[in-house]
Structures are given as C-alpha cells and as structure tokens.
Amino acid sequence: MQLTGAEIVIRCLQEEGVEYVFGYPGGAVLNIYDELFKQEQVKHVLVRHEQGAAHAADGYSRSSHKVGVCLVTSGPGVTNAVTGIATAYMDSIPMVIITGQVPTHAIGQDAFQECDTVGITRPCVKHNFLVKDVAQLAVTMKKAFYLAQTGRPGPVLVDIPKDVTQAKAEYSYPKTISLRSYNPVTRGHAGQIKKAVGLLLEAKRPMVYTGGGVILNTAAPQLTRLLRLLGFPCTNTLMGLGGFPGTDPQFTGMLGMHGTYESNMAMQSCDVLLAVGSRFDDRVIGNPTHFFRADRKIIHIDIDPSSISKRVRVDVPIVGYVADVLDEMLKLIESSPQRPDAQALKEWWGQIKEWQRKDCLKYDRKSALIKPQYVIEKLYELTGGDAIITSDVGQHQMWVAQYYKFDKPRRWINSGGLGTMGFGLPAAMGAILANPGATVACVTGEASIQMCIQELSTCKQYHLPVKIVNLNNKYMGMVRQWQQFFYGNRYAESYMDALPDFTKLAEAYGHVGMKVEKPGDVEGALREAFKLKDRLVFLDMITDQAENVFPMIPGGKGLTEMIFAEEL
C-alpha cells in the first residue's frame, strides 16, 4: 500500500493508539494537518502557542501513563516548543514531538522558517531523528514511541521535511522494534537485591526516600507494600508525591529545600537509606559534602545507571525498573524469618516524632489577610484530596506540595527539574483530556499564569472546565523571598506593578471570574467554583504579600541548616 509521508504519520499515530495530538499548524506541516482533517480517530487540540502544545502533551502523559504527542511547524514553531520539550526531558516524561522541516533540498540554505531542529533540541531530548527518506518514516515513528516509553522515559523528536510528507512509499508499521545500540537493563541484579534486603533488615534507623521514578514506573503499590511490611518512615521528593499516601502515619512529608524538618533530619541521621527512583539532586539533599556520612549505607534503585553515584556515592547500586526490583525485594523479605529490630525501630520513630513536634509548617491562622497555605488546605478539604492538581513554579507550587496531601500517584502535575513558569494551565488541559470527568485544578501565581494565559482560549474552544486558583500577591513570590533573605530586601524587578483584572480577563475569554479578598470568603468561593462543573472558573485570591515558604534551606547549605518562620 503506497501512502504519502503525511498519511504514514497519521497511520502510525493510529497504530500507537494516540487519542490526542496537541499542536499548531504552519507551512511545513500542512500536509500532515490535511491528513488529520480527513480522519476522526486521532483528535487534534489547537493550542494558542507551541509552548502550550508541549506542556499539554506533557500534562496528558503525566496524568495518564500514556505517551503525550505534540505537532508543530518548522522554525519558530520548534523554538517555541523547546521550553516544553526541556521541561519534559528534565522530569523524564514520555513524549513524541513531531516537527515540520523545510524541504530536504533547502536544508542548510537559510530557507524561510528553517532552523536546525536536531541541533537545537539535542541537549533536551532522549533522542531525535531527521527523516530524509519517506521509506524510513514508519520505522522511525515506531522507534520514537519505543524510545520514549522504555528505560528512563523521555521526549523523542521526529523532524520531517515537507517534501517527505508529500513523497510516497510502501506502508508497513512494525509490531516490535529492536535497536542494537539501545538495550536498557530492566531487571535488577539478584545479588545486589539480596545485599540490599540484608541491610534493610539489619537497619536501626532506616529511611526510605522516593522520587518520580516510582510514579513513572507505576510502582506505588509495591512501595506501599514494602513500607507496610517493614514499618519504615518514608519521604517523597517533589516529583514523588503520591507515590506513598500523604495521609499515612509512616509518611514524614516532602524533603529538601522546602521539605519538613522531620524528613530532612531523618534523611541526615539514618543509618540505612533506601533511595527509589530518585536522583539526590541539589534541591533534595542540599550540599553533597554536608550530606555525606561514613556510617550510613545507601541503597539506590534507578533505571538510569548514570543517575547512580552521580552526586552521592552509594553502597548498593541496583539498576532496573523500580517496580520489578521492589517485587523481588518483597519476595525475599516475605520469605525471610528475619524482621527489623522492633525496639530500635520504636526508638527511631520516637526520635522522628520528637522532630515532628516542631510543627515546621505552622502559619498565622488568625491573619486578616488571606494566607496562601489556608487556600491550599481548603482546596484539599473541598476536593477530598482526589483532584488532579497542576501548578506553575514558585511559592504556590511549594505550598501545594506541603499542604495538599496526595494519596495517589499521577494527581500532582508540576515542573520539577526545569522549573517552568507557564506550565500549569496547559498541563491542566492535557490532564483533563486524559481523565474525562476528573476534577482538575491549576494552582498558579499572577506572574506564572501570564506566561501561557492565552490557553484560556483553548479551554473555551474545547470546553475544558479547569479550576484556576491564582494565589495573587502581586510579586514574583519566590524571587521576592530570595531577595528578602539574601539581597537586603532589594526587590529588583520582582514587583508586578501593572496587573490585569483577572476576573474580567477570564470573562473576556468566555469563562467565570471570581475575585476573593477576605479569608472568610475563600471556602465559599471554592465551593461555588466546584459546583460549576462544566465551566472554567478563574479564582483570583488576593493573598498576603509578605508570606514566605518555610522551612527553607539556603543554597549551598546542608539538610540540617533550615530556616524557620519564627527565626525571622
């Protein structure tokens, strides 16, 4: 069967079971868009900016365990999408990005809307392809989907010149693919797993530290079983929230720069640390020199061997899918007559409870101003903790991580590694399309929301009833917080001196806008918003401008060098 390149692209998407493509048309991809128009199986969502396309595909993937797909044109279409591609890359999100390119004969000629897509995106994709022969298009698409979702997941880009989308070739989509240079190890080494189990059962002060790998590899059930069996304390990274129930007594809260006192102290003071699908990044452990302890044993499970001992030397490295490794560990523990030292564990929990008494997340609940923490607590209460929450980046993101108790995976959708303002709204669009009928709320700030606010138009066109909770303090909040602490209160360019009336702006896009200025009105406004199940509601919450995120570890400091609210 002879098909054009454009027809082949659509057939490949259909073969992969792709439900939605997020994109924006342009000259180099018009042949592909024409074929999209002729069929109904693959639905297209027209965003208002290519960054929004990448973020929406990302949010779709994070909330569904499927590969997100976006489609953009050459030149500025690609460069606009790079921020979203890099966001997905930093957080290991499986995506396929299809980009148009100028015709093959024009490549390198500075043609209209030409850019070196492969060169520009190489540092922020798992892999990329430039397809110059239509006969290679179908197999390349198969490779892209295979690479995106196996091993350590990530975005894969396929760059297709316009003449390749017009040319014809025999169509055959391979059922499986094998790449000689790509054979990720997926099963952990049996000897290392046995050694790890031995250390865990002998531990006196154990700690389990988990990250986004638990979510990505759907390993939450195995992690929960392991922790129930052993009775160990658990902390999650920002990306790992929901991997273990946030309301469970064994959960000590998020760790790291804005983590809880008890989690950070337990991480620093434990004698055996089990790291699962996490990477000891700078926001988690602070200064690696401070974190080092000669008397602590570290077990590290990760699918990516390059992440092991990258920042912190570990004693028992285990490369493999975390779900499979945890399954093997559970078998060994369940078949062993040995159990952790009950008395030592009781004493260790006693120490953790002592740290918890510091109540490091307390804030002024009697304020006449709206406290952002209070908004998040009410959001949690009114959604029963079961909403999908997206966020942008800044103080509001940290307050959600601290005060919204995620009991399930894939309910917390945020940009961790790259820290991308503008992520929240388009990610919420992807999440609500991936989870029809789900309650989806985007918690944002007045600076972040303006980065991709044009996607309010997309939400109107496709009837996406996202609830936007804007914690409006008229500052780039986290920037202002750092300027207060470390730059002598010199708030250089962090104050938003000219803000739109967000309620009127939302109404201009055809949505519902609400402005909330008093603490007593917060709950009522949230209740009213969630009653409007079929409408996007923009809640502009005017919050205390001076509120900061605590605890906080200053840059370059160690886990035990936290700043608390009462110290300032």
Side-chain angles (χ1 to χ4, degrees):
M1 184 177 9
Q2 288 260 324
L3 298 178
T4 65
E7 290 173 315
I8 288 171
V9 169
I10 303 306
R11 284 291 188 94
C12 293
L13 296 178
Q14 292 171 342
E15 294 267 12
E16 290 291 338
V18 172
E19 187 179 16
Y20 290 103
V21 171
F22 302 89
Y24 201 96
V29 286
L30 284 183
N31 293 321
I32 298 174
Y33 270 90
D34 195 42
E35 295 305 322
L36 264 173
F37 184 82
K38 294 175 185 176
Q39 55 84 59
E40 296 182 352
Q41 186 176 333
V42 179
K43 303 177 188 69
H44 182 271
V45 176
L46 176 65
V47 297
R48 300 310 190 257
H49 189 285
E50 290 90 351
Q51 181 178 341
H55 289 329
D58 185 329
Y60 179 90
S61 178
R62 292 185 201 233
S63 64
S64 68
H65 194 53
K66 297 176 184 176
V67 177
V69 179
C70 66
L71 170 62
V72 300
T73 195
S74 62
V78 171
T79 56
N80 282 345
V82 165
T83 296
I85 296 168
T87 299
Y89 178 70
M90 288 288 281
D91 291 343
S92 304
I93 306 304
M95 281 172 50
V96 170
I97 304 97
I98 301 165
T99 60
Q101 184 54 274
V102 299
T104 51
H105 65 81
I107 292 175
Q109 302 299 311
D110 293 332
F112 177 67
Q113 290 194 332
E114 180 190 0
C115 72
D116 179 6
T117 298
V118 168
I120 287 169
T121 63
R122 184 175 287 120
C124 62
V125 293
K126 185 174 179 182
H127 196 68
N128 57 20
F129 300 92
L130 171 60
V131 184
K132 291 186 174 181
D133 180 357
V134 68
Q136 295 299 311
L137 186 53
V139 70
T140 302
M141 290 292 289
K142 183 68 179 181
K143 288 177 182 178
F145 277 91
Y146 173 66
L147 286 168
Q149 58 196 315
T150 57
R152 180 176 181 173
V156 178
L157 185 143
V158 182
D159 196 32
I160 311 172
K162 187 169 186 178
D163 59 320
V164 173
T165 65
Q166 295 168 322
K168 288 191 172 184
E170 290 288 328
Y171 173 71
S172 177
Y173 197 64
K175 286 185 168 52
T176 59
I177 201 82
S178 178
L179 301 175
R180 186 178 61 184
S181 60
Y182 176 74
N183 293 289
V185 175
T186 58
R187 295 186 64 84
H189 187 279
Q192 294 293 86
I193 293 173
K194 186 176 180 182
K195 190 185 297 184
V197 167
L199 283 174
L200 291 173
L201 293 176
E202 292 167 4
K204 307 293 185 190
R205 303 185 311 279
M207 190 65 183
V208 178
Y209 143 61
T210 76
V214 170
I215 311 290
L216 291 167
N217 197 226
T218 60
Q222 291 91 334
L223 175 67
T224 302
R225 275 180 58 208
L226 182 75
L227 285 158
R228 296 267 191 274
L229 185 61
L230 295 173
F232 290 176
C234 175
T235 182
N236 294 157
T237 66
L238 178 71
M239 298 305 302
L241 292 173
F244 184 71
T247 55
D248 195 282
Q250 288 175 243
F251 182 62
T252 61
M254 183 178 72
L255 81 161
M257 179 171 278
H258 295 293
T260 65
Y261 179 62
E262 50 269 31
S263 289
N264 287 342
M265 293 300 291
M267 275 284 288
Q268 189 67 35
S269 307
C270 65
D271 66 345
V272 175
L273 177 62
L274 172 61
V276 186
S278 49
R279 55 189 180 90
F280 294 94
D281 72 271
D282 58 302
R283 291 295 171 109
V284 166
I285 64 159
N287 189 328
T289 304
H290 181 281
F291 184 69
F292 172 77
R293 280 188 55 165
D295 60 342
R296 176 179 51 209
K297 298 294 183 184
I298 300 177
I299 305 157
H300 191 179
I301 307 168
D302 203 288
I303 188 61
D304 181 6
S306 72
S307 290
I308 296 179
S309 290
K310 185 174 184 176
R311 298 192 75 239
V312 172
R313 186 187 64 79
V314 305
D315 301 280
V316 184
I318 305 173
V319 178
Y321 284 134
V322 293
D324 294 341
V325 174
L326 291 177
D327 273 333
E328 294 302 314
M329 292 176 79
L330 280 161
K331 287 177 189 174
L332 287 176
I333 294 168
E334 287 168 344
S335 64
S336 171
Q338 185 182 356
R339 285 294 177 268
D341 185 326
Q343 182 57 36
L345 196 54
K346 182 180 178 182
E347 292 173 6
W348 176 230
W349 270 112
Q351 174 62 76
I352 291 171
K353 285 177 170 49
E354 185 64 35
W355 288 324
Q356 287 173 334
R357 274 192 274 275
K358 187 170 184 63
D359 192 14
C360 66
L361 297 181
K362 61 180 177 285
Y363 65 93
D364 179 9
R365 295 176 179 275
K366 297 179 181 178
S367 173
L369 301 172
I370 296 175
K371 291 293 185 179
Q373 302 95 321
Y374 175 73
V375 177
I376 303 305
E377 287 181 331
K378 282 298 171 186
L379 178 64
Y380 171 72
E381 181 185 315
L382 296 177
T383 59
D386 203 37
I388 296 172
I389 307 292
T390 72
S391 86
D392 282 287
V393 169
Q395 289 178 317
H396 61 270
Q397 176 191 29
M398 294 300 106
W399 282 317
V400 176
Q402 291 175 332
Y403 292 92
Y404 198 101
K405 309 299 181 187
F406 293 96
D407 277 345
K408 299 174 185 175
R410 300 191 184 276
R411 296 290 197 277
W412 173 224
I413 313 297
N414 79 115
S415 168
L418 196 65
T420 307
M421 295 171 70
F423 175 83
L425 178 55
M429 294 173 359
I432 208 165
L433 286 168
N435 300 272
T439 298
V440 178
C442 168
V443 179
T444 185
E446 79 292 334
S448 283
I449 191 63
Q450 293 188 86
M451 293 279 188
C452 284
I453 202 164
Q454 70 282 343
E455 300 309 330
L456 286 173
S457 179
T458 307
C459 291
K460 181 62 177 176
Q461 180 175 344
Y462 296 95
H463 311 290
L464 306 179
V466 175
K467 305 300 182 268
I468 299 172
V469 181
N470 185 37
L471 302 182
N472 185 346
N473 61 10
K474 299 183 174 61
Y475 276 99
M476 298 174 209
M478 192 60 84
V479 173
R480 184 205 57 74
Q481 179 169 333
W482 277 66
Q483 288 173 333
Q484 178 186 338
F485 291 176
F486 310 119
Y487 294 89
N489 296 305
R490 293 182 296 279
Y491 301 133
E493 303 303 325
S494 58
Y495 178 65
M496 289 279 178
D497 202 19
L499 286 172
D501 183 326
F502 286 109
T503 59
K504 289 182 180 177
L505 185 61
E507 289 165 0
Y509 276 105
H511 303 300
V512 177
M514 299 180 188
K515 188 172 186 177
V516 186
E517 299 182 90
K518 298 177 182 177
D521 295 335
V522 169
E523 182 173 343
L526 285 168
R527 284 189 185 278
E528 188 178 346
F530 286 113
K531 280 180 186 174
L532 299 172
K533 294 189 181 298
D534 299 324
R535 298 293 302 276
L536 183 148
V537 182
F538 194 116
L539 292 145
D540 191 20
M541 301 277 187
I542 310 303
T543 61
D544 184 350
Q545 288 186 289
E547 194 64 23
N548 291 318
V549 181
F550 293 106
M552 179 182 182
I553 300 172
K557 299 293 185 180
L559 279 180
T560 60
E561 299 176 284
M562 288 166 271
I563 300 172
F564 301 95
E566 64 270 19
E567 295 175 355
L568 293 178

PDB file of all heavy atoms in Angstrom, residues 179-204:
ATOM      1  N   LEU A 179      16.721  -2.132  18.761  1.00  0.00           N
ATOM      2  CA  LEU A 179      17.808  -1.209  18.434  1.00  0.00           C
ATOM      3  C   LEU A 179      19.105  -1.760  19.011  1.00  0.00           C
ATOM      4  O   LEU A 179      19.225  -1.951  20.224  1.00  0.00           O
ATOM      5  CB  LEU A 179      17.514   0.178  19.009  1.00  0.00           C
ATOM      6  CG  LEU A 179      16.207   0.839  18.531  1.00  0.00           C
ATOM      7  CD1 LEU A 179      15.976   2.152  19.258  1.00  0.00           C
ATOM      8  CD2 LEU A 179      16.246   1.066  17.035  1.00  0.00           C
ATOM      9  N   ARG A 180      20.061  -1.988  18.151  1.00  0.00           N
ATOM     10  CA  ARG A 180      21.316  -2.620  18.574  1.00  0.00           C
ATOM     11  C   ARG A 180      22.034  -1.817  19.647  1.00  0.00           C
ATOM     12  O   ARG A 180      22.621  -2.368  20.573  1.00  0.00           O
ATOM     13  CB  ARG A 180      22.232  -2.795  17.352  1.00  0.00           C
ATOM     14  CG  ARG A 180      23.512  -3.564  17.633  1.00  0.00           C
ATOM     15  CD  ARG A 180      24.318  -3.736  16.363  1.00  0.00           C
ATOM     16  NE  ARG A 180      24.715  -2.449  15.799  1.00  0.00           N
ATOM     17  CZ  ARG A 180      25.368  -2.316  14.647  1.00  0.00           C
ATOM     18  NH1 ARG A 180      25.653  -3.376  13.925  1.00  0.00           N
ATOM     19  NH2 ARG A 180      25.706  -1.117  14.205  1.00  0.00           N
ATOM     20  N   SER A 181      21.944  -0.497  19.543  1.00  0.00           N
ATOM     21  CA  SER A 181      22.687   0.362  20.475  1.00  0.00           C
ATOM     22  C   SER A 181      21.877   0.750  21.709  1.00  0.00           C
ATOM     23  O   SER A 181      22.332   1.549  22.517  1.00  0.00           O
ATOM     24  CB  SER A 181      23.153   1.623  19.748  1.00  0.00           C
ATOM     25  OG  SER A 181      22.026   2.332  19.245  1.00  0.00           O
ATOM     26  N   TYR A 182      20.665   0.215  21.833  1.00  0.00           N
ATOM     27  CA  TYR A 182      19.794   0.616  22.941  1.00  0.00           C
ATOM     28  C   TYR A 182      19.166  -0.626  23.566  1.00  0.00           C
ATOM     29  O   TYR A 182      18.209  -1.199  23.050  1.00  0.00           O
ATOM     30  CB  TYR A 182      18.709   1.573  22.439  1.00  0.00           C
ATOM     31  CG  TYR A 182      17.698   1.985  23.493  1.00  0.00           C
ATOM     32  CD1 TYR A 182      18.044   2.898  24.486  1.00  0.00           C
ATOM     33  CD2 TYR A 182      16.405   1.470  23.484  1.00  0.00           C
ATOM     34  CE1 TYR A 182      17.120   3.283  25.451  1.00  0.00           C
ATOM     35  CE2 TYR A 182      15.477   1.856  24.441  1.00  0.00           C
ATOM     36  CZ  TYR A 182      15.836   2.757  25.420  1.00  0.00           C
ATOM     37  OH  TYR A 182      14.920   3.129  26.368  1.00  0.00           O
ATOM     38  N   ASN A 183      19.747  -1.038  24.667  1.00  0.00           N
ATOM     39  CA  ASN A 183      19.242  -2.205  25.388  1.00  0.00           C
ATOM     40  C   ASN A 183      19.250  -1.916  26.886  1.00  0.00           C
ATOM     41  O   ASN A 183      20.122  -2.365  27.629  1.00  0.00           O
ATOM     42  CB  ASN A 183      20.108  -3.443  25.101  1.00  0.00           C
ATOM     43  CG  ASN A 183      19.992  -3.904  23.671  1.00  0.00           C
ATOM     44  OD1 ASN A 183      18.965  -4.424  23.264  1.00  0.00           O
ATOM     45  ND2 ASN A 183      21.050  -3.698  22.885  1.00  0.00           N
ATOM     46  N   PRO A 184      18.275  -1.145  27.374  1.00  0.00           N
ATOM     47  CA  PRO A 184      18.279  -0.779  28.795  1.00  0.00           C
ATOM     48  C   PRO A 184      18.114  -1.995  29.702  1.00  0.00           C
ATOM     49  O   PRO A 184      17.340  -2.912  29.405  1.00  0.00           O
ATOM     50  CB  PRO A 184      17.074   0.161  28.916  1.00  0.00           C
ATOM     51  CG  PRO A 184      16.190  -0.172  27.753  1.00  0.00           C
ATOM     52  CD  PRO A 184      17.115  -0.598  26.656  1.00  0.00           C
ATOM     53  N   VAL A 185      18.885  -2.008  30.779  1.00  0.00           N
ATOM     54  CA  VAL A 185      18.750  -3.056  31.791  1.00  0.00           C
ATOM     55  C   VAL A 185      17.455  -2.794  32.555  1.00  0.00           C
ATOM     56  O   VAL A 185      17.234  -1.686  33.052  1.00  0.00           O
ATOM     57  CB  VAL A 185      19.955  -3.047  32.762  1.00  0.00           C
ATOM     58  CG1 VAL A 185      19.751  -4.045  33.890  1.00  0.00           C
ATOM     59  CG2 VAL A 185      21.236  -3.340  31.998  1.00  0.00           C
ATOM     60  N   THR A 186      16.601  -3.794  32.643  1.00  0.00           N
ATOM     61  CA  THR A 186      15.310  -3.590  33.308  1.00  0.00           C
ATOM     62  C   THR A 186      15.158  -4.427  34.577  1.00  0.00           C
ATOM     63  O   THR A 186      14.351  -4.088  35.439  1.00  0.00           O
ATOM     64  CB  THR A 186      14.153  -3.932  32.355  1.00  0.00           C
ATOM     65  OG1 THR A 186      14.280  -5.290  31.916  1.00  0.00           O
ATOM     66  CG2 THR A 186      14.167  -3.004  31.141  1.00  0.00           C
ATOM     67  N   ARG A 187      15.931  -5.505  34.700  1.00  0.00           N
ATOM     68  CA  ARG A 187      15.830  -6.354  35.887  1.00  0.00           C
ATOM     69  C   ARG A 187      17.044  -6.154  36.777  1.00  0.00           C
ATOM     70  O   ARG A 187      18.182  -6.199  36.328  1.00  0.00           O
ATOM     71  CB  ARG A 187      15.719  -7.837  35.500  1.00  0.00           C
ATOM     72  CG  ARG A 187      14.430  -8.161  34.753  1.00  0.00           C
ATOM     73  CD  ARG A 187      14.290  -9.660  34.527  1.00  0.00           C
ATOM     74  NE  ARG A 187      14.175 -10.375  35.800  1.00  0.00           N
ATOM     75  CZ  ARG A 187      13.027 -10.530  36.454  1.00  0.00           C
ATOM     76  NH1 ARG A 187      11.921 -10.001  35.976  1.00  0.00           N
ATOM     77  NH2 ARG A 187      12.981 -11.194  37.593  1.00  0.00           N
ATOM     78  N   GLY A 188      16.792  -5.915  38.046  1.00  0.00           N
ATOM     79  CA  GLY A 188      17.876  -5.663  38.983  1.00  0.00           C
ATOM     80  C   GLY A 188      18.739  -6.904  39.213  1.00  0.00           C
ATOM     81  O   GLY A 188      18.273  -8.043  39.092  1.00  0.00           O
ATOM     82  N   HIS A 189      19.991  -6.675  39.559  1.00  0.00           N
ATOM     83  CA  HIS A 189      20.938  -7.763  39.828  1.00  0.00           C
ATOM     84  C   HIS A 189      20.527  -8.494  41.108  1.00  0.00           C
ATOM     85  O   HIS A 189      20.385  -7.878  42.176  1.00  0.00           O
ATOM     86  CB  HIS A 189      22.337  -7.171  39.966  1.00  0.00           C
ATOM     87  CG  HIS A 189      23.419  -8.189  40.070  1.00  0.00           C
ATOM     88  ND1 HIS A 189      23.732  -8.831  41.249  1.00  0.00           N
ATOM     89  CD2 HIS A 189      24.268  -8.690  39.133  1.00  0.00           C
ATOM     90  CE1 HIS A 189      24.727  -9.668  41.050  1.00  0.00           C
ATOM     91  NE2 HIS A 189      25.066  -9.600  39.763  1.00  0.00           N
ATOM     92  N   ALA A 190      20.345  -9.819  41.008  1.00  0.00           N
ATOM     93  CA  ALA A 190      19.838 -10.611  42.143  1.00  0.00           C
ATOM     94  C   ALA A 190      20.732 -10.493  43.372  1.00  0.00           C
ATOM     95  O   ALA A 190      20.245 -10.389  44.510  1.00  0.00           O
ATOM     96  CB  ALA A 190      19.695 -12.077  41.726  1.00  0.00           C
ATOM     97  N   GLY A 191      22.046 -10.506  43.146  1.00  0.00           N
ATOM     98  CA  GLY A 191      22.971 -10.406  44.272  1.00  0.00           C
ATOM     99  C   GLY A 191      22.881  -9.065  44.979  1.00  0.00           C
ATOM    100  O   GLY A 191      22.932  -8.993  46.220  1.00  0.00           O
ATOM    101  N   GLN A 192      22.746  -8.001  44.218  1.00  0.00           N
ATOM    102  CA  GLN A 192      22.612  -6.666  44.801  1.00  0.00           C
ATOM    103  C   GLN A 192      21.297  -6.515  45.563  1.00  0.00           C
ATOM    104  O   GLN A 192      21.243  -5.892  46.627  1.00  0.00           O
ATOM    105  CB  GLN A 192      22.711  -5.599  43.703  1.00  0.00           C
ATOM    106  CG  GLN A 192      24.071  -5.499  43.028  1.00  0.00           C
ATOM    107  CD  GLN A 192      25.141  -4.985  43.986  1.00  0.00           C
ATOM    108  OE1 GLN A 192      25.749  -5.767  44.727  1.00  0.00           O
ATOM    109  NE2 GLN A 192      25.364  -3.690  43.979  1.00  0.00           N
ATOM    110  N   ILE A 193      20.237  -7.094  45.010  1.00  0.00           N
ATOM    111  CA  ILE A 193      18.937  -7.037  45.692  1.00  0.00           C
ATOM    112  C   ILE A 193      19.009  -7.774  47.024  1.00  0.00           C
ATOM    113  O   ILE A 193      18.512  -7.285  48.055  1.00  0.00           O
ATOM    114  CB  ILE A 193      17.823  -7.626  44.794  1.00  0.00           C
ATOM    115  CG1 ILE A 193      17.619  -6.726  43.567  1.00  0.00           C
ATOM    116  CG2 ILE A 193      16.514  -7.768  45.572  1.00  0.00           C
ATOM    117  CD1 ILE A 193      16.671  -7.292  42.526  1.00  0.00           C
ATOM    118  N   LYS A 194      19.668  -8.921  47.020  1.00  0.00           N
ATOM    119  CA  LYS A 194      19.824  -9.697  48.259  1.00  0.00           C
ATOM    120  C   LYS A 194      20.635  -8.904  49.291  1.00  0.00           C
ATOM    121  O   LYS A 194      20.308  -8.874  50.486  1.00  0.00           O
ATOM    122  CB  LYS A 194      20.518 -11.022  47.947  1.00  0.00           C
ATOM    123  CG  LYS A 194      20.610 -11.975  49.138  1.00  0.00           C
ATOM    124  CD  LYS A 194      21.222 -13.308  48.732  1.00  0.00           C
ATOM    125  CE  LYS A 194      21.301 -14.246  49.925  1.00  0.00           C
ATOM    126  NZ  LYS A 194      21.942 -15.546  49.555  1.00  0.00           N
ATOM    127  N   LYS A 195      21.690  -8.247  48.828  1.00  0.00           N
ATOM    128  CA  LYS A 195      22.521  -7.437  49.726  1.00  0.00           C
ATOM    129  C   LYS A 195      21.707  -6.278  50.311  1.00  0.00           C
ATOM    130  O   LYS A 195      21.806  -5.960  51.501  1.00  0.00           O
ATOM    131  CB  LYS A 195      23.733  -6.895  48.947  1.00  0.00           C
ATOM    132  CG  LYS A 195      24.804  -6.246  49.830  1.00  0.00           C
ATOM    133  CD  LYS A 195      25.917  -5.631  48.982  1.00  0.00           C
ATOM    134  CE  LYS A 195      26.670  -6.669  48.177  1.00  0.00           C
ATOM    135  NZ  LYS A 195      27.813  -6.054  47.433  1.00  0.00           N
ATOM    136  N   ALA A 196      20.874  -5.656  49.459  1.00  0.00           N
ATOM    137  CA  ALA A 196      20.042  -4.546  49.905  1.00  0.00           C
ATOM    138  C   ALA A 196      19.045  -4.989  50.969  1.00  0.00           C
ATOM    139  O   ALA A 196      18.862  -4.304  51.991  1.00  0.00           O
ATOM    140  CB  ALA A 196      19.296  -3.943  48.719  1.00  0.00           C
ATOM    141  N   VAL A 197      18.419  -6.114  50.759  1.00  0.00           N
ATOM    142  CA  VAL A 197      17.447  -6.638  51.730  1.00  0.00           C
ATOM    143  C   VAL A 197      18.128  -6.914  53.065  1.00  0.00           C
ATOM    144  O   VAL A 197      17.586  -6.614  54.144  1.00  0.00           O
ATOM    145  CB  VAL A 197      16.753  -7.900  51.180  1.00  0.00           C
ATOM    146  CG1 VAL A 197      15.988  -8.635  52.284  1.00  0.00           C
ATOM    147  CG2 VAL A 197      15.821  -7.524  50.039  1.00  0.00           C
ATOM    148  N   GLY A 198      19.341  -7.468  52.999  1.00  0.00           N
ATOM    149  CA  GLY A 198      20.094  -7.723  54.237  1.00  0.00           C
ATOM    150  C   GLY A 198      20.339  -6.443  55.021  1.00  0.00           C
ATOM    151  O   GLY A 198      20.166  -6.418  56.248  1.00  0.00           O
ATOM    152  N   LEU A 199      20.720  -5.377  54.337  1.00  0.00           N
ATOM    153  CA  LEU A 199      20.952  -4.085  55.005  1.00  0.00           C
ATOM    154  C   LEU A 199      19.660  -3.533  55.610  1.00  0.00           C
ATOM    155  O   LEU A 199      19.663  -3.012  56.733  1.00  0.00           O
ATOM    156  CB  LEU A 199      21.521  -3.069  54.012  1.00  0.00           C
ATOM    157  CG  LEU A 199      23.001  -3.190  53.649  1.00  0.00           C
ATOM    158  CD1 LEU A 199      23.369  -2.204  52.551  1.00  0.00           C
ATOM    159  CD2 LEU A 199      23.877  -2.951  54.885  1.00  0.00           C
ATOM    160  N   LEU A 200      18.558  -3.633  54.880  1.00  0.00           N
ATOM    161  CA  LEU A 200      17.278  -3.123  55.379  1.00  0.00           C
ATOM    162  C   LEU A 200      16.834  -3.858  56.639  1.00  0.00           C
ATOM    163  O   LEU A 200      16.335  -3.235  57.590  1.00  0.00           O
ATOM    164  CB  LEU A 200      16.195  -3.238  54.297  1.00  0.00           C
ATOM    165  CG  LEU A 200      16.341  -2.311  53.085  1.00  0.00           C
ATOM    166  CD1 LEU A 200      15.307  -2.650  52.017  1.00  0.00           C
ATOM    167  CD2 LEU A 200      16.209  -0.842  53.493  1.00  0.00           C
ATOM    168  N   LEU A 201      17.001  -5.164  56.662  1.00  0.00           N
ATOM    169  CA  LEU A 201      16.548  -5.946  57.814  1.00  0.00           C
ATOM    170  C   LEU A 201      17.439  -5.743  59.042  1.00  0.00           C
ATOM    171  O   LEU A 201      17.007  -5.991  60.172  1.00  0.00           O
ATOM    172  CB  LEU A 201      16.484  -7.435  57.443  1.00  0.00           C
ATOM    173  CG  LEU A 201      15.409  -7.805  56.411  1.00  0.00           C
ATOM    174  CD1 LEU A 201      15.501  -9.283  56.043  1.00  0.00           C
ATOM    175  CD2 LEU A 201      14.014  -7.471  56.931  1.00  0.00           C
ATOM    176  N   GLU A 202      18.655  -5.281  58.822  1.00  0.00           N
ATOM    177  CA  GLU A 202      19.562  -5.036  59.945  1.00  0.00           C
ATOM    178  C   GLU A 202      19.557  -3.579  60.406  1.00  0.00           C
ATOM    179  O   GLU A 202      20.189  -3.218  61.406  1.00  0.00           O
ATOM    180  CB  GLU A 202      20.996  -5.427  59.543  1.00  0.00           C
ATOM    181  CG  GLU A 202      21.177  -6.933  59.328  1.00  0.00           C
ATOM    182  CD  GLU A 202      22.495  -7.263  58.640  1.00  0.00           C
ATOM    183  OE1 GLU A 202      23.291  -6.310  58.414  1.00  0.00           O
ATOM    184  OE2 GLU A 202      22.723  -8.438  58.313  1.00  0.00           O
ATOM    185  N   ALA A 203      18.832  -2.718  59.703  1.00  0.00           N
ATOM    186  CA  ALA A 203      18.860  -1.282  59.987  1.00  0.00           C
ATOM    187  C   ALA A 203      18.275  -0.962  61.361  1.00  0.00           C
ATOM    188  O   ALA A 203      17.297  -1.567  61.793  1.00  0.00           O
ATOM    189  CB  ALA A 203      18.087  -0.527  58.917  1.00  0.00           C
ATOM    190  N   LYS A 204      18.873   0.001  62.020  1.00  0.00           N
ATOM    191  CA  LYS A 204      18.359   0.506  63.302  1.00  0.00           C
ATOM    192  C   LYS A 204      17.602   1.828  63.097  1.00  0.00           C
ATOM    193  O   LYS A 204      16.662   2.135  63.819  1.00  0.00           O
ATOM    194  CB  LYS A 204      19.516   0.764  64.279  1.00  0.00           C
ATOM    195  CG  LYS A 204      20.448  -0.429  64.483  1.00  0.00           C
ATOM    196  CD  LYS A 204      19.762  -1.576  65.184  1.00  0.00           C
ATOM    197  CE  LYS A 204      20.781  -2.698  65.469  1.00  0.00           C
ATOM    198  NZ  LYS A 204      20.107  -3.928  65.935  1.00  0.00           N
TER     199      LYS A 204
END
